Amino acid sequence: MAAVRIPPRLCLSSFLFQSPINFSLSHAPSFNGGPISRPMSSSSSSSATSPAPYTTLSERATFEREIKKSKFIAIASHVSDERSAMSFLSQDPRATHNCWAYKLGEQYRSNDDGEPSGTAGKPIYSAIVSSGLDMVMVVVIRYFGGIKLGTGGLVRAYGGVALECLKGAPTCYVKPKVRVGIEVQFELVGTIYHQLQHFHAEDIKQDYDTGKDDTTMVSFKVDYENLNSLEDAINSSCGRKIEFFKG
């Protein structure tokens, strides 16, 4: 029976975007015990790629197939970084070959684990790319059955079981979030909260220890793709420029 792709759902647990840019913190206020980075000015020469929403696996998936007496077992999972990918790899039992690949945005790696070069890791990575998924690792375990498959046979076997594993796997749609803090006067707090609710901000916290008698620090998490619109809405509703501090 052919594997059926399950439509993606919105992940309940959001992934918090961490900016790769190193901001100056010498004069930045803080919230929740840590510093907040000031936004980059438009004149800065540094730039970063905006994190885009993506589809990934919502749970671990497996697929097994026997090809000419060799057993191929594909195991796929969401991974958040290289460290978690290596941790996932270490969980799998050793077999004749444990070949793998992962994709973390623009970062990727693959390994043939003793198979002829390019016959295992690369086909697995190609399967990940073809699936349209991101932040994913696939390990294909092979138990050799005594019959050699040849170069073409290995490419089809490793790539095929990896793709079938991903086709039937449950997925979810992830919207990266960014933590933001804004320092505002007490009289504007109601207006700020109205806009935060409108843009579905999460984990809203308030800190009165700002060193100023009439201001408070409001911190929250919001979808990265909505950050600019939220900033415009707050500035417009408050009738003044409010500085956003990215954490």
Side-chain angles (χ1 to χ4, degrees):
M1 180 181 294
V4 178
R5 180 66 175 272
I6 301 175
R9 60 182 177 80
L10 188 65
C11 282
L12 297 178
S13 58
S14 57
F15 294 81
L16 180 61
F17 166 65
Q18 300 292 339
S19 173
I21 303 176
N22 293 320
F23 299 103
S24 173
L25 305 180
S26 58
H27 301 291
S30 63
F31 63 87
N32 295 337
I36 308 175
S37 304
R38 293 185 182 277
M40 295 292 290
S41 65
S42 58
S43 61
S44 172
S45 60
S46 299
S47 62
T49 302
S50 298
Y54 60 91
T55 302
T56 190
L57 296 178
S58 58
E59 59 186 64
R60 187 170 170 142
T62 61
F63 180 82
E64 181 177 330
R65 173 177 289 168
E66 184 175 311
I67 302 174
K68 293 185 177 180
K69 296 186 178 181
S70 283
K71 181 185 293 185
F72 290 84
I73 304 173
I75 307 172
S77 177
H78 165 78
V79 288
S80 56
D81 51 31
E82 185 173 10
R83 183 175 180 178
S84 66
M86 294 300 99
S87 177
F88 173 64
L89 177 63
S90 68
Q91 298 173 14
D92 294 313
R94 294 302 306 174
T96 311
H97 301 281
N98 283 36
C99 306
W100 53 268
Y102 66 69
K103 183 177 184 298
L104 303 170
E106 297 301 316
Q107 179 185 1
Y108 65 91
R109 282 185 63 188
S110 63
N111 189 287
D112 296 312
D113 194 32
E115 295 283 25
S117 179
T119 63
K122 287 185 178 180
I124 295 172
Y125 174 70
S126 295
I128 297 174
V129 173
S130 297
S131 73
L133 301 176
D134 200 0
M135 311 301 285
V136 165
M137 182 173 195
V138 179
V139 179
V140 178
I141 303 168
R142 180 192 182 190
Y143 292 94
F144 184 57
I147 300 177
K148 293 184 178 181
L149 301 182
T151 300
L154 289 172
V155 170
R156 289 189 294 272
Y158 280 102
V161 296
L163 186 58
E164 288 300 320
C165 180
L166 295 172
K167 277 183 178 180
T171 61
C172 62
Y173 186 66
V174 178
K175 291 185 176 182
K177 295 183 181 293
V178 60
R179 174 161 287 284
V180 178
I182 52 178
E183 195 174 70
V184 297
Q185 295 178 327
F186 293 149
E187 62 187 42
L188 298 176
V189 170
T191 302
I192 297 295
Y193 270 75
H194 175 74
Q195 293 298 337
L196 294 182
Q197 292 173 358
H198 178 73
F199 282 89
H200 306 290
E202 301 175 357
D203 194 23
I204 302 173
K205 298 179 181 179
Q206 202 166 332
D207 184 4
Y208 295 94
D209 187 16
T210 63
K212 301 176 184 178
D213 293 336
D214 61 344
T215 63
T216 182
M217 174 65 72
V218 180
S219 63
F220 53 89
K221 288 191 295 186
V222 68
D223 290 346
Y224 191 92
E225 62 182 359
N226 291 336
L227 181 58
N228 289 337
S229 296
L230 172 60
E231 186 172 359
D232 291 341
I234 287 179
N235 288 335
S236 176
S237 60
C238 291
R240 69 191 69 176
K241 175 69 174 179
I242 305 294
E243 191 167 17
F244 278 52
F245 301 97
K246 300 176 184 178

